[in-house]
Amino acid sequence: MEQEMQVTEEKMSFKDADINSNILRAVEEMGFETMSPIQEQAIPILLEGRDIIGQAQTGTGKTAAFGIPMIQNVEPSIKKLQGIVLCPTRELAIQAAEEIRRLSKYMHGIKVLPVYGGQDISRQIRALSQGVQIVVGTPGRVMDHMRRHTIKTANIKMIVLDEADEMLNMGFREDIETILKDMPKEHQMALFSATMPKPILDITHEYQKDAQYIRVTPEEITVAAIKQAYYRISKKDKIEALCRLMDYYQPVRSLIFCNTKKMVDELTEVLKDRGYQAEGLHGDLSQHQRDMVMNSFRSGRCAILIATDVAARGIDVSGVDAVFNYDVPEDIEYYVHRIGRTGRAGKAGRSFTLVCGREVYKIREIERICHTEIKERKLPAPKDIVKAKSGKVFAEAMEVMEQKNLDSLKAVIEKAAGENGFSVLDLAAAFMQMRIGDEPEEIKEERSAFDRRSRLGRHDEAWGKRKRPEEERSRRERKAGESKRRSSNEKEDRNKRSGRTEREDRNRRREREEGRSRDKRRNQKSGVKLGKK
C-alpha cells in the first residue's frame, strides 16, 4: 500500500542523514549546502532499502536523491552491475552519470557508465567488461546490451526510472517492462515522474512493493533563492531589452528560453553579431551538433545557451546564474522547469521574463498556480548600463595592471599623446568608448489599454479629491443644469417633429379629398352631356 508523505518546511542538512562520510565529502565539494525537498524525503527512505514513487519536476535535485543511496548500497569490491538508472534521453543519461560520478569521487572502486544510442556499442561493451557497478542509460540501448548479455541483471540491487512519464511518451513502455521483468526478485525500485498517468501507476503496482509516495509541488520547486522578475515591453524592443539585462546583471552562465526553433536560430544569430558568446539548441540539430553545443556550454566556452523547452528537457548544468524567458512559456509547468535550472543547492539565482501585451495575464496565472510572486520591474536606465559595462572594463583593466608589467606600453601612450596633442585621459576615454559603445536610448515600458484607462481613472479621481467642496458643488450644479437644458431641448425637438408630421398628414388628407371631389364633379358633368345627346 502506498503511503503519502507531507513535505516538511525546515531544511535538512546532508550531515543529518545517515550518509557515508566519503559521499558527504564529495557533496560538500560540489557546493551542496542543504537538501532540496525531494532529497530530504527520498534519501532516508532509500537508505532504508524501501521503494518510493517521487512526483517531481526537472531541476529539483532528483539525481542526488537517488544517486547517493545507490552509491552507498554498492559493494565496491564486487565488480558486477549492482545499480541501473533508466533515462528518456541521451543528454539526461550523460548528465546523470556525470553527477553520480562526482558524488562517488571518494568512494574508491565504484565505476559508473552511461550507455545510449548513437555511440559505438563496442566501446560500451569494453567498458562493461572491465567491471561497472552502476549503469545509466536509455531503455533502448540497455535492451541491446541485455540481448547481447553484456549487461547482466543477477546482482542488481536497485533500479531507478527517471522522468518516467517522458519515457512513456517516447514509446519506451514495452522496453521498460521487459527490463523490469528481468530484474532479480529482491530489488529496490525508485520511480520519478512529473505526472502520474495510469500507465505509470500500473508499473508501480506491478513492480514495486509498499512504495512510499513523495510529491514536490510547484510551490516548493520555485524556491525563494530565485529572484523572479518580469518586464513589460513591446515586441520590437525584446532583443534590446534582453541585451540590456545581460549587460547590467552580467551573469557568467545563463539560459535563454524561446517557444520556437525559428526564434532560437534568429536570437542566436543576433546575439553572436552583437559579440555575445551564444549557442542555440533545438530538436533540428544533429546529435553531433547537440554534443558540441552542450560541451561548449559546460566548459564555459559558451556563456549563453538559447534553447526550446523540449530540447532543454533533462539539461542539468550546475552554475547557471540566470534564466531569461525571452518568450513567456505556453505551459505553466515549462516555467517551473525553466527557472529550476538556476538557484540550485541553496545558491542565489535570477529569472527574467519579457512580457508583451496580454501575456501579463499568463504571469498572473503562474503566480496563482505556483503560489509565488513574480515582481514587475523596470529595465535598467541607460546610465546604469554604461556604469555596469564600464565597471566590468575597469575590473578587467585592474586585473591586467596587477599581473602585467605595463611600463613599455605607458611610454608608447605618453609618446603618442605628446606627438598628437591629446591627453592620456582623452585616450583612455576613447578606449572605453570602443569597448562599451554608445549610451543606449531609453526603452519605453509597454502598458495595456486597460492599465492606461485605470491610470487615467485614478488620476481623475485624485484630481477630484483635491478640489474644494464649493468647486465640486458648483461643478455638480452646472452638470445638472446642462442635463436639464439638454432634456428640455430634446423634448422641444420631439414636439416640433410631432407637429410637423401632423400638419403634413392633414395637408395630404385635404389634397386627397379635394382630388376626389374634382373627380366626382367631372364624372357628373360628363354624365349630363351624354343624357342630352
Side-chain angles (χ1 to χ4, degrees), residues 132-296:
V132 172
Q133 289 94 349
I134 297 174
V135 161
V136 185
T138 54
R141 182 48 63 96
V142 171
M143 282 281 294
D144 285 346
H145 283 290
M146 288 174 66
R147 291 192 201 99
R148 297 166 185 262
H149 302 288
T150 48
I151 282 183
K152 297 175 182 176
T153 60
N155 294 286
I156 289 180
K157 299 177 181 180
M158 182 177 179
I159 182 168
V160 175
L161 304 185
D162 193 15
E163 304 274 2
D165 54 347
E166 192 68 15
M167 286 194 282
L168 291 181
N169 292 338
M170 297 171 71
F172 286 131
R173 179 172 181 174
E174 290 184 6
D175 291 349
I176 291 170
E177 291 186 342
T178 301
I179 294 169
L180 292 177
K181 285 175 183 176
D182 202 52
M183 290 297 116
K185 187 175 181 181
E186 294 297 326
H187 70 272
Q188 183 182 14
M189 179 174 164
L191 182 147
F192 293 92
S193 179
T195 58
M196 289 292 163
K198 186 177 183 299
I200 288 181
L201 296 176
D202 292 341
I203 290 173
T204 63
H205 292 150
E206 187 169 354
Y207 298 101
Q208 287 187 303
K209 182 180 178 182
D210 296 330
Q212 286 200 288
Y213 176 65
I214 297 170
R215 183 171 183 266
V216 178
T217 63
E219 178 181 3
E220 295 157 327
I221 296 168
T222 311
V223 292
I226 303 174
K227 295 181 180 179
Q228 304 170 68
Y230 73 92
Y231 301 82
R232 299 180 69 171
I233 53 174
S234 63
K235 195 171 183 179
K236 64 181 177 62
D237 293 327
K238 286 178 76 172
I239 291 177
E240 187 63 35
L242 173 67
C243 293
R244 292 193 186 184
L245 289 171
M246 290 192 293
D247 290 341
Y248 183 74
Y249 290 101
Q250 299 178 7
V252 176
R253 182 179 290 173
S254 56
L255 275 167
I256 301 175
F257 285 95
C258 302
N259 288 345
T260 64
K261 301 171 189 176
K262 182 182 178 182
M263 194 66 248
V264 168
D265 289 335
E266 291 177 359
L267 187 58
T268 303
E269 187 177 349
V270 170
L271 292 185
K272 282 184 173 180
D273 290 343
R274 293 191 178 205
Y276 295 94
Q277 296 174 330
E279 294 291 345
L281 184 72
H282 56 67
D284 287 349
L285 299 182
S286 67
Q287 191 61 55
H288 178 65
Q289 289 173 317
R290 289 170 65 88
D291 289 344
M292 288 183 63
V293 169
M294 288 308 303
N295 290 336
S296 177

Side-chain angles (χ1 to χ4, degrees), residues 359-476:
E359 288 178 339
V360 70
Y361 298 113
K362 288 185 181 179
I363 298 296
R364 300 288 174 261
E365 190 176 2
I366 290 169
E367 288 180 317
R368 179 176 58 82
I369 292 177
C370 296
H371 308 284
T372 189
E373 181 184 6
I374 308 173
K375 293 183 178 180
E376 181 180 2
R377 296 193 181 279
K378 293 185 177 180
L379 289 171
K383 62 180 181 180
D384 296 327
I385 301 294
V386 172
K387 184 178 179 181
K389 292 170 77 172
S390 59
K392 184 179 180 180
V393 175
F394 280 131
E396 293 173 356
M398 295 291 289
E399 188 175 352
V400 172
M401 288 168 60
E402 292 174 359
Q403 297 177 356
K404 303 287 184 179
N405 185 348
L406 305 177
D407 291 340
S408 60
L409 291 174
K410 287 179 184 177
V412 171
I413 292 171
E414 288 176 350
K415 182 179 179 181
E419 291 176 351
N420 294 280
F422 54 75
S423 68
V424 174
L425 183 61
D426 292 334
L427 187 59
F431 281 138
M432 181 66 74
Q433 167 69 20
M434 291 167 62
R435 284 292 304 274
I436 69 174
D438 297 329
E439 180 175 310
E441 296 180 0
E442 193 76 45
I443 296 178
K444 291 184 179 179
E445 185 180 16
E446 187 182 59
R447 289 288 174 183
S448 65
F450 174 79
D451 286 340
R452 288 194 294 271
R453 287 196 298 270
S454 300
R455 198 160 60 249
L456 287 172
R458 290 194 297 271
H459 174 76
D460 291 343
E461 184 180 352
W463 175 253
K465 287 179 180 177
R466 289 197 296 269
K467 292 179 180 178
R468 292 191 297 273
E470 57 271 19
E471 290 180 354
E472 183 65 20
R473 194 181 310 112
S474 175
R475 186 184 65 82
R476 287 198 298 268

Side-chain angles (χ1 to χ4, degrees), residues 475-486:
R475 186 184 65 82
R476 287 198 298 268
E477 289 173 355
R478 286 197 304 272
K479 190 173 180 181
E482 290 173 359
S483 177
K484 187 174 181 180
R485 284 194 298 274
R486 188 162 53 251

Side-chain angles (χ1 to χ4, degrees), residues 278-334:
E279 294 291 345
L281 184 72
H282 56 67
D284 287 349
L285 299 182
S286 67
Q287 191 61 55
H288 178 65
Q289 289 173 317
R290 289 170 65 88
D291 289 344
M292 288 183 63
V293 169
M294 288 308 303
N295 290 336
S296 177
F297 187 58
R298 288 194 185 96
S299 65
R301 294 192 305 273
C302 161
I304 303 166
L305 181 64
I306 308 168
T308 58
D309 293 288
V310 175
R313 184 75 183 248
I315 289 178
D316 188 10
V317 180
S318 60
V320 175
D321 302 308
V323 170
F324 295 88
N325 295 310
Y326 186 79
D327 296 322
V328 178
E330 298 293 336
D331 193 325
I332 291 175
E333 284 190 5
Y334 283 156

Side-chain angles (χ1 to χ4, degrees), residues 102-120:
R102 291 197 296 270
L103 290 167
S104 62
K105 181 177 179 179
Y106 299 105
M107 296 290 286
H108 302 294
I110 294 180
K111 291 184 178 181
V112 183
L113 178 70
V115 297
Y116 46 83
Q119 186 186 52
D120 184 7

